[in-house]
Amino acid sequence: MTKAPDPATAKAVKGSVTEALGKIMADPEIEARGAAQKNSGQVEAEAKKPVKSKDRKP
């Protein structure tokens, strides 16, 4: 059985593809939209990670 992909990671990947498409097509609007979507997905994925505290004992 496969694990369902994380929506935030999927958003970042979709943004990367859109950004690359914008570069290939020489369309700065599409490229910027893809970069924004990629960054948004990366921020969402980072926010979901648990915070590691140095003061906590395992």
Side-chain angles (χ1 to χ4, degrees), residues 31-47:
E31 186 177 347
R33 192 176 339 140
Q37 188 176 28
K38 178 177 74 173
N39 291 336
S40 175
Q42 288 173 341
V43 168
E44 287 178 22
E46 190 67 32

Side-chain angles (χ1 to χ4, degrees), residues 8-56:
T9 304
K11 186 176 186 179
V13 170
K14 182 179 176 188
S16 294
V17 171
T18 304
E19 182 180 17
L21 182 64
K23 285 180 182 181
I24 291 169
M25 294 173 49
D27 188 339
E29 187 176 317
I30 293 175
E31 186 177 347
R33 192 176 339 140
Q37 188 176 28
K38 178 177 74 173
N39 291 336
S40 175
Q42 288 173 341
V43 168
E44 287 178 22
E46 190 67 32
K48 290 181 180 182
K49 289 183 180 178
V51 177
K52 293 183 180 179
S53 176
K54 294 180 181 179
D55 298 333
R56 284 184 24 191

